[in-house]
Amino acid sequence: MADPVEKLLETVCNDSRSFCVGEILVRKTSTGGFALSHRDDKATDQLKIFRSAEDAIDIAKHDDAGNYRPLKTAPKLRHGWRLDLETLEDLRRALDYFYPGRLAMFAAWKSDKLQITPLRETLERQSGMYRAAARISDSQINDVVADFCRSNGGCLRTILWKRDAEEVIASTKLPKEKFDPAYDQMMASKPPGSPTPATAPIPATIPLLCQEACNLLIAECRKVMKGE
Amino acid sequence: MVNYLVTLRTDAALLIVAHGSTVNADSSAPTLAHAAEIRRREIFADVECAFWKEEPSLRDAVFLFDPESIREVCVVPNFISEGYFSQTVVPRELELYGRITKRSNGQIWRYCEPVGNHPIMTDLLLRRAQEIAPGVPKNEATLLIVAHGTDLNENSAVAAKREAEKIRSLGKYSAVLNVYMEEPPLVSEWRKLTKTRNVVVVPFFISDGLHSYEDIPVLLGIVVAAGGGCGQPGSALPATAAPGEIFRHNPYRVDNRSIFYAPSIGTDAGFADIILEQALNAKS
């Protein structure tokens, strides 16, 4: 029995010949399989070919400069590869390695089961070395979130959480599209004049939803409080 | 490999939780490999991982299993010891209240013992020590089990101490010691703590990383710090050696003694069996 994630992927695959997830372009092949590549490599022929969903683990691990990518939704996926997969199950597994947990969050959100947690609640819950992060001011949050979570160089997730229980927006310094699941965050990550201008047709896109601040953002809040 | 005759219900899932790292690319690799192996055995309807410092996060994990098809989730902490993370962080982030938690959607979450608590661990440590120092007479060797040690939770060092006691009671090695990076007995004092010509060192960690690649080798003196001179000329690796290279140059000669240095115990493929055992124990 297919679970909600596979059903969702199946629906997306049936609706279009190609679609995007973050920086990845997924194209259906004539043999019923799938070809995955970096969106920037859409027109590139000289790509290194991989054939196992597990290859996604290594592809996603380092950026073009060889730096470790602790945040998989950071827009620094390396280029120059193509991953050929045979089944929908392989596709689901590979996308889970590229963007761990994001398909499940999207499926939960689509069925109104995704619980959203305000940043202040996440901060107040911390213990040990992260307890200090809770002392961060609203103004400091506004700056930290704007810098760390921005789609252009920071993170491609769509923020669903609010700053606090009063439903205050996470950062007034981010564009309103950052909070819109219908918006393709890759459009915001491209500088003006880049090969994929904002005016180009936008392919079907599965958003990378963020229902709660990640540990990396909490660590950034702590750094501010520690003056690091 | 443990032979499992039990096939779990198709509505049960396994969640392996681990620390992960924002700086060490190898931290989550063993956990992902153990998950892939368990997935291959088709014992659970679903097998997922979640991490404190990587993705999916522990908070994401609450939404990974469809309550319509998965009625039970076994959570196994891939941690060496019962400590701060397994007792405080993981239950808090996963919203677990004791060993069994029933969610509002009816899903049952069983919180299992960390892998470090399982009796098979002793066999894995012995096997790894044998593999790294084949042919070395055990009665002429000291086995050091190196753990982190911390002041956050007093239980952190207990697992290493327990394993050292168990192996010591077997009477195979001349001596078996539990030593720590951050609390006495310190690994850096191995020269005073050991008397044998051969010293076999097994890091009691879930994965290889900064501690096993760099910190412990420096504390042992088998890595030459930049500009410094530890050990005998020609016997130590430069601190700039590639990760993993440290395990390929055994034995190291330091102060006329031979040190055999093993990769972290958590990289042993036998961990998949322990994770399964912990999950099955929680279900029985």
Side-chain angles (χ1 to χ4, degrees):
Chain A
M1 183 175 63
D3 68 11
V5 174
E6 278 183 26
K7 283 182 198 162
L8 185 146
L9 261 185
E10 197 168 18
T11 303
V12 174
C13 291
N14 288 340
D15 288 350
S16 49
R17 295 290 307 171
S18 66
F19 63 95
C20 294
V21 187
E23 290 179 277
I24 295 171
L25 172 66
V26 180
R27 281 179 282 198
K28 286 200 288 191
T29 65
S30 56
T31 56
F34 304 92
L36 284 64
S37 65
H38 195 294
R39 287 166 75 165
D40 293 345
D41 291 337
K42 183 180 180 181
T44 308
D45 291 330
Q46 301 293 317
L47 299 173
K48 185 175 180 186
I49 309 298
F50 296 89
R51 301 189 189 281
S52 164
E54 274 62 39
D55 288 328
I57 297 174
D58 277 338
I59 297 172
K61 195 175 276 186
H62 299 97
D63 63 17
D64 284 326
N67 299 310
Y68 172 50
R69 298 175 67 234
L71 180 62
K72 298 293 181 280
T73 46
K76 290 173 183 169
L77 183 65
R78 75 172 155 105
H79 297 78
W81 54 271
R82 195 182 83 203
L83 180 56
D84 291 342
L85 301 171
E86 292 182 359
T87 67
L88 190 72
E89 192 183 329
D90 290 338
L91 174 64
R92 184 238 173 112
R93 221 164 58 247
L95 290 176
D96 266 340
Y97 287 131
F98 279 118
Y99 296 116
R102 292 309 104 198
L103 289 178
M105 299 312 112
F106 183 52
W109 179 74
K110 291 280 277 185
S111 56
D112 289 327
K113 289 173 183 167
L114 190 63
Q115 181 186 320
I116 315 296
T117 305
L119 176 58
R120 283 282 178 208
E121 191 177 318
T122 306
L123 288 166
E124 293 294 336
R125 206 179 59 230
Q126 302 305 309
S127 58
M129 63 182 284
Y130 295 109
R131 195 188 295 274
R135 299 201 314 267
I136 193 169
S137 71
D138 291 344
S139 159
Q140 288 168 318
I141 286 176
N142 208 36
D143 292 339
V144 171
V145 172
D147 182 53
F148 190 79
C149 303
R150 67 197 155 84
S151 294
N152 184 7
C155 177
L156 290 172
R157 294 190 194 191
T158 301
I159 296 177
L160 299 180
W161 43 269
K162 305 293 185 184
R163 190 184 72 197
D164 47 37
E166 277 71 53
E167 299 269 302
V168 177
I169 195 168
S171 174
T172 56
K173 294 186 174 181
L174 289 171
K176 65 180 189 312
E177 291 85 1
K178 182 65 181 176
F179 312 97
D180 179 5
Y183 184 75
D184 179 5
Q185 296 300 325
M186 274 292 281
M187 295 300 108
S189 78
K190 295 290 178 187
S194 63
T196 313
T199 51
I202 299 172
T205 303
I206 294 178
L208 305 168
L209 301 180
C210 187
Q211 83 283 5
E212 180 165 358
C214 64
N215 183 268
L216 281 88
L217 179 59
I218 300 304
E220 289 300 309
C221 293
R222 176 183 177 274
K223 278 185 195 171
V224 170
M225 298 321 296
K226 292 284 183 183
E228 295 173 359
Chain B
M1 181 188 296
V2 176
N3 183 25
Y4 294 100
L5 299 175
V6 183
T7 301
L8 296 191
R9 298 196 316 264
T10 55
D11 60 356
L14 172 66
L15 175 66
I16 308 170
V17 295
H19 192 280
S21 171
T22 56
V23 293
N24 170 23
D26 294 334
S27 178
S28 56
T31 302
L32 292 174
H34 303 324
E37 168 58 23
I38 295 169
R39 208 174 280 133
R40 188 190 63 75
R41 297 185 197 180
E42 297 184 338
I43 293 172
F44 289 93
D46 194 3
V47 179
E48 300 287 348
C49 301
F51 302 93
W52 172 231
K53 295 273 193 173
E54 292 184 43
E55 303 156 90
S57 69
L58 296 171
R59 297 295 290 168
D60 288 339
V62 176
F63 306 102
L64 290 179
F65 306 101
D66 172 36
E68 305 290 318
S69 55
I70 301 295
R71 304 303 297 154
E72 192 168 307
V73 179
C74 293
V75 182
V76 177
N78 194 22
F79 285 86
I80 281 298
S81 64
E82 190 87 66
Y84 173 63
F85 286 100
S86 65
Q87 291 180 334
T88 302
V89 175
V90 172
R92 183 191 71 209
E93 298 295 292
L94 292 180
E95 297 175 22
L96 302 178
Y97 307 98
R99 287 294 168 199
I100 298 177
T101 301
K102 187 171 185 179
R103 303 266 190 231
S104 57
N105 59 23
Q107 222 171 35
I108 302 288
W109 285 53
R110 293 182 187 274
Y111 193 37
C112 311
E113 295 280 326
V115 292
N117 281 3
H118 198 280
I120 300 177
M121 188 64 70
T122 313
D123 299 333
L124 294 190
L125 287 165
L126 279 167
R127 188 169 78 191
R128 178 137 293 194
Q130 169 65 27
E131 285 169 352
I132 205 68
V136 172
K138 294 185 178 59
N139 58 2
E140 295 175 15
T142 299
L143 174 59
L144 294 185
I145 298 173
V146 190
H148 192 280
T150 176
D151 56 2
L152 270 178
N153 187 305
E154 62 182 14
N155 288 331
S156 177
V158 168
K161 186 179 178 189
R162 184 186 60 235
E163 292 304 324
E165 284 171 354
K166 284 169 72 177
I167 296 174
R168 194 179 303 129
S169 71
L170 299 174
K172 292 183 176 181
Y173 283 89
S174 173
V176 183
L177 302 173
N178 48 298
V179 291
Y180 305 100
M181 294 172 60
E182 293 193 354
E183 64 182 71
L186 292 164
V187 62
S188 58
E189 297 185 347
W190 68 272
R191 290 174 183 81
K192 281 190 257 174
L193 296 168
T194 65
K195 294 182 173 58
T196 54
R197 188 162 49 90
N198 300 304
V199 179
V200 182
V201 183
V202 180
F204 201 37
F205 290 90
I206 284 298
S207 64
D208 281 321
L210 193 63
H211 294 328
S212 64
Y213 291 150
E214 295 179 31
D215 297 341
I216 297 170
V218 167
L219 294 170
L220 287 169
I222 64 175
V223 159
V224 179
C230 300
Q232 293 193 339
S235 69
L237 277 179
T240 52
E245 193 63 21
I246 192 75
F247 309 119
R248 299 188 189 101
H249 297 269
N250 286 305
Y252 291 89
R253 295 287 296 165
V254 180
D255 294 348
N256 289 322
R257 298 211 264 170
S258 296
I259 293 184
F260 297 82
Y261 185 56
S264 292
I265 191 64
T267 59
D268 193 301
F271 260 55
D273 289 333
I274 296 185
I275 291 168
L276 271 175
E277 281 275 332
Q278 298 297 51
L280 292 169
N281 285 342
K283 285 186 66 65
S284 57

